[in-house]
Amino acid sequence: MKSQLEQLIQQAFDQLINRGDLDADFKANIQIIASKDAAQGDFATNVAMLNAKQAGMPPRQLAELLVPHMQDEQAVHKIEIAGPGFINFFLQADVNQSLVRKILEQGERFGLSDHGANKRIQIEFVSANPTGPLHVGHGRGAAYGATLANLLKAVGYDVQCEYYVNDAGRQMDILGTSVWLRYLDLAGEEIAFPSNAYQGDYIWDIAATLHREQGDAFRQPAVEVFKGVHADHPEGDKEKHIDDLIENAKALLGSEKYREVFDLALNTLVDVIRKDLAQFGVEFDEWFSERQLTEQGLVEKAIQTLQDKNRVYESHGALWFKSTDFGDEKDRVVKRDNGQTTYFASDIAYHMNKFDRGFEQVINVWGADHHGYIARVKAALKAMDYAPEKLEILLVQFANLYENGEKVAMSTRSGEFVTLRTLREDVGSDAARFFYVMRKADQHMDFDLNLAREQSTDNPVYYVQYAHARVCSVEKQCAEQNKEIDFNQAQMNKLENSHETDLLKQLSLYPDRLLSAAQRREPHIVINYLRELAHMFHAWYNAHKFIVDDEGLRNARIALAFAVRQVIKNGLLLIGVSAPQEM
RNA sequence: GCGCUCGUAGCUCAGUUGGAUAGAGUGUUGGCCUCCGAAGCCAAAGGUCGUGGGUUCGACUCCCGCCGAGCGCGCCA
């Protein structure tokens, strides 16, 4: 409807230009909004004000000139000029009535569009280090990313979901060594477990697997393991302590066995993460390995490319990328003085690789604590002559958990964190997905556990789901009362009370809201829409009986109720929440 | 100190990218089941949109200062 009105307005401007009322090079700026108040029609435009200056006349005068040229649109019943120069459109009543049939025909396809023109777009999200199970902070990124991916698919993009597995680097060495130390403990060695190692119980589990499958094959005497190792905290430096242990582990085990322990830990955790996400309704098309970048020489290639373009220099034995030339606040090391490439170097190679794989648009969903990296990654792309605007970095703020009015304290390293699994088992997948996406992603949010758990009126998830279940219940009632549902008998023009016209209008807005949510990367728009729709439905349900004797009215109302149910289901599906028949 | 994000009802948050009288949920108060599911509905009350300037027909929205909050500023990942 909006685009039809847009055309109508453009035509009116064209005619004014033809008549000479406006200059030939006049370019109209057109905006249309859905009116909030029924007194202001169904849609309104502010074109008269927006273009008044360019037209060289007051807004109201421009509006008076435009309106006579907007008469030949069937769907429009009445056009009014109001206030400082708003033009309000009142639609014919039957415009939205025919919409109900359209929704019922299109079913799950209602609301979808081909706006994205099948453009290839990649969205990378979660990408948590596989050093432990996912926690509730990752959950928000997972829910947000998955919903955004669904939205982009819904409006016609060819979407690929990717998880970047950080399976290289020091953190992973700490993980492998943590497992090995626990294993040594199980094998009977006296082990003082480092304060900086991973403390969680899952480390014990992996160690136990290793011990069960390999017996003492990986055992080394504790004296050797701790030989020449710096003291741990608080007497010494915990970072040096763990680094020394890693060195000893590599030396004592040899590269092959070390890799075995490392891979066991890695694979176990990636598997745990994958299953966690799957049970949360989040699936990835690709699990992209960081290690693979190094092994295939892509990191070296990236650095070489920068070198060829003269974007790097040496200083203090390290290799620096001159990112300040591209908007970063300081230059960054890509290769350390010990010859190792940095995480940032991998990231450059990774992003090059994304575009080399042919994606026209790339989206990264990052935790907000990473916002400092945006400038340097974009700088790298610029330096490589890739278009930095094709990389979109969306930030997700952390969610603070609240229970009984108190903030739940969390810290990853100490092992005191609430896992995503725990949350899901606690409040349920539906509530978790709904709550995470309910708030704008770049805002801090308070996640109220008590509320999410609650199966009551307070909980907005149930509120929306309940509307869906209620319609299902009406359908059942019809069967029980032997009232056959026959939409051919429906007299849609009998839907004339304000609840019904409000609902019809709300339904008509769905495709537009979906598009807007996708374009703005703001899935919470869909949730707000569904809450509004559910509220209008509940109000209607309370005010009017659907199963009435008048066959024409009864079928019309049931048709409308079914349309509402369909749209609620479609919307819930997008955010990964179920639409139950009963609850 | 510098940078990023933010400040809207007692609380949690929206506000259609600058539009008409700033909204919803929750909480408080009071109503609505002989009726298709009360996990619902209706009503009241609650605001100097942190603050002071600026831009214009028009500002919660854009610009600047100040106050306050969170995050980031490694040859870690």
Side-chain angles (χ1 to χ4, degrees):
Chain A
M1 196 65 239
K2 257 192 188 178
S3 56
Q4 286 175 53
L5 291 175
E6 217 167 287
Q7 273 184 25
L8 188 68
I9 294 166
Q10 185 59 56
Q11 283 164 15
F13 273 110
D14 289 347
Q15 290 186 42
L16 290 188
I17 292 168
N18 286 341
R19 284 169 36 132
D21 290 336
L22 296 172
D23 290 342
D25 59 347
F26 187 91
K27 206 167 170 309
N29 183 358
I30 297 177
Q31 278 180 27
I32 295 169
I33 57 163
S35 305
K36 306 177 212 174
D37 189 341
Q40 293 163 10
D42 294 292
F43 292 92
T45 179
N46 55 357
V47 283
M49 283 103 89
L50 278 181
N51 299 285
K53 192 171 276 179
Q54 197 190 162
M57 63 181 88
R60 276 205 79 109
Q61 190 186 333
L62 180 57
E64 304 281 358
L65 281 174
L66 283 167
V67 169
H69 295 99
M70 298 181 180
Q71 299 307 327
D72 53 345
E73 171 62 56
Q74 293 257 314
V76 178
H77 167 243
K78 190 170 64 169
I79 302 177
E80 278 181 5
I81 301 172
F86 287 101
I87 300 173
N88 295 330
F89 297 94
F90 295 77
L91 300 185
Q92 296 287 4
D94 58 359
V95 169
N96 285 336
Q97 287 170 7
S98 61
L99 177 77
V100 170
R101 289 186 198 280
K102 187 175 163 194
I103 294 171
L104 296 177
E105 272 168 29
Q106 296 191 341
E108 298 200 348
R109 293 193 325 279
F110 177 72
L112 307 187
S113 64
D114 53 5
H115 189 271
N118 238 20
K119 198 168 144 187
R120 285 192 72 203
I121 183 164
Q122 187 215 47
I123 172 165
E124 180 217 324
F125 56 108
V126 188
S127 299
N129 285 354
T131 53
L134 296 177
H135 58 70
V136 291
H138 303 124
R140 191 174 186 192
Y144 174 74
T147 303
L148 183 54
N150 288 341
L151 277 171
L152 291 169
K153 283 177 201 163
V155 300
Y157 288 89
D158 179 8
V159 183
Q160 191 235 35
C161 293
E162 182 154 308
Y163 188 118
Y164 183 53
V165 184
N166 295 119
D167 51 6
R170 181 167 173 264
Q171 293 305 322
M172 291 304 297
D173 281 323
I174 296 177
L175 176 80
T177 302
S178 301
V179 167
W180 187 53
L181 292 171
R182 289 303 196 198
Y183 157 88
L184 290 174
D185 192 309
L186 289 174
E189 296 293 331
E190 283 282 311
I191 299 294
F193 200 66
S195 57
N196 209 22
Y198 288 97
Q199 309 284 337
D201 286 342
Y202 58 94
I203 301 293
W204 280 115
D205 296 341
I206 302 168
T209 303
L210 183 64
H211 189 237
R212 188 172 59 244
E213 288 175 358
Q214 303 288 346
D216 281 351
F218 289 75
R219 185 167 176 174
Q220 295 287 336
V223 210
E224 293 298 317
V225 175
F226 287 93
K227 198 172 189 177
V229 169
H230 282 85
D232 195 3
H233 184 81
E235 299 82 36
D237 186 333
K238 62 180 182 179
E239 305 292 347
K240 281 183 179 161
H241 178 71
I242 193 85
D243 283 339
D244 289 346
L245 282 169
I246 292 168
E247 283 314 305
N248 283 357
K250 285 179 176 169
L252 290 167
L253 286 169
S255 61
E256 205 169 301
K257 280 192 166 172
Y258 179 81
R259 176 77 177 244
E260 239 180 283
V261 177
F262 186 101
D263 281 353
L264 174 69
L266 169 67
N267 293 335
T268 306
L269 283 169
V270 169
D271 211 47
V272 165
I273 289 170
R274 195 196 306 262
K275 281 183 184 147
D276 264 6
L277 287 169
Q279 285 170 332
F280 198 44
V282 178
E283 306 266 2
F284 288 89
D285 303 303
E286 176 76 30
W287 294 71
F288 193 94
S289 154
E290 177 188 357
R291 200 160 70 192
Q292 163 196 331
L293 285 172
T294 314
E295 285 170 357
Q296 294 181 357
L298 295 177
V299 178
E300 280 302 331
K301 193 180 138 200
I303 293 173
Q304 190 58 49
T305 307
L306 284 174
Q307 244 158 357
D308 293 346
K309 291 183 184 289
N310 236 338
R311 307 302 191 197
V312 291
Y313 62 92
E314 256 187 76
S315 174
H316 293 88
L319 202 59
W320 297 71
F321 164 46
K322 213 162 171 6
S323 54
T324 44
D325 283 354
F326 303 92
D328 199 4
E329 37 184 41
K330 55 184 289 193
D331 292 342
R332 310 289 174 178
V333 171
V334 287
K335 193 184 274 187
R336 286 185 258 168
D337 57 3
N338 65 8
Q340 279 196 339
T341 55
T342 60
Y343 173 84
F344 178 50
S346 296
D347 239 6
I348 298 173
Y350 181 40
H351 284 90
M352 271 180 81
N353 178 265
K354 286 186 182 195
F355 287 109
D356 291 346
R357 276 186 276 161
F359 294 107
E360 295 167 71
Q361 180 83 15
V362 166
I363 293 177
N364 291 358
V365 177
W366 283 356
D369 55 334
H370 284 71
H371 65 72
Y373 294 91
I374 297 175
R376 75 188 70 167
V377 173
K378 292 228 175 202
L381 286 178
K382 259 182 255 176
M384 303 264 198
D385 298 322
Y386 289 85
E389 67 275 5
K390 287 189 173 178
L391 169 69
E392 209 176 318
I393 297 175
L394 304 174
L395 298 180
V396 176
Q397 287 285 354
F398 290 124
N400 289 316
L401 287 186
Y402 278 83
E403 186 159 30
N404 305 322
E406 279 179 32
K407 194 169 167 178
V408 180
M410 278 182 285
S411 122
T412 313
R413 189 60 65 77
S414 65
E416 296 166 27
F417 53 83
V418 181
T419 63
L420 177 60
R421 168 180 291 266
T422 307
L423 177 75
R424 188 166 46 71
E425 288 169 351
D426 185 350
V427 308
S429 198
D430 284 347
R433 292 282 302 251
F434 196 95
F435 270 61
Y436 273 134
V437 178
M438 190 162 57
R439 305 303 183 202
K440 230 166 41 198
D442 58 6
Q443 282 299 6
H444 299 96
M445 75 173 278
D446 290 347
F447 193 121
D448 185 337
L449 282 172
N450 303 79
L451 181 61
R453 263 198 289 265
E454 203 151 333
Q455 309 209 353
S456 80
T457 168
D458 299 349
N459 195 330
V461 196
Y462 292 98
Y463 185 79
V464 176
Q465 289 180 320
Y466 181 44
H468 183 271
R470 254 185 163 173
V471 179
C472 294
S473 178
V474 169
E475 185 175 18
K476 252 180 285 173
Q477 271 299 320
C478 287
E480 276 171 30
Q481 295 179 25
N482 281 320
K483 298 267 170 47
E484 201 194 335
I485 297 171
D486 179 5
F487 294 142
N488 290 324
Q489 305 295 319
Q491 294 172 287
M492 302 309 284
N493 58 351
K494 289 192 171 175
L495 298 178
E496 53 190 2
N497 65 57
S498 65
H499 289 106
E500 286 155 358
T501 51
D502 285 354
L503 270 170
L504 286 167
K505 185 170 172 202
Q506 178 76 357
L507 290 175
S508 75
L509 298 177
Y510 179 70
D512 210 63
R513 289 286 184 94
L514 220 59
L515 183 60
S516 157
Q519 285 174 331
R520 291 165 55 179
R521 282 85 168 108
E522 291 182 351
H524 76 278
I525 290 176
V526 178
I527 292 207
N528 286 341
Y529 172 86
L530 291 175
R531 293 176 76 172
E532 289 164 19
L533 178 60
H535 178 252
M536 289 178 184
F537 173 78
H538 287 310
W540 178 45
Y541 183 94
N542 250 275
H544 302 278
K545 217 168 141 108
F546 301 173
I547 307 177
V548 292
D549 290 335
D550 178 347
E551 212 175 354
L553 178 61
R554 184 177 73 229
N555 280 298
R557 283 188 172 158
I558 290 172
L560 175 57
F562 277 27
V564 170
R565 174 175 67 178
Q566 185 67 57
V567 171
I568 286 180
K569 184 179 176 185
N570 292 2
L572 285 177
L573 218 68
L574 286 173
I575 49 182
V577 175
S578 69
Q581 310 256 323
E582 54 188 34
M583 36 199 300

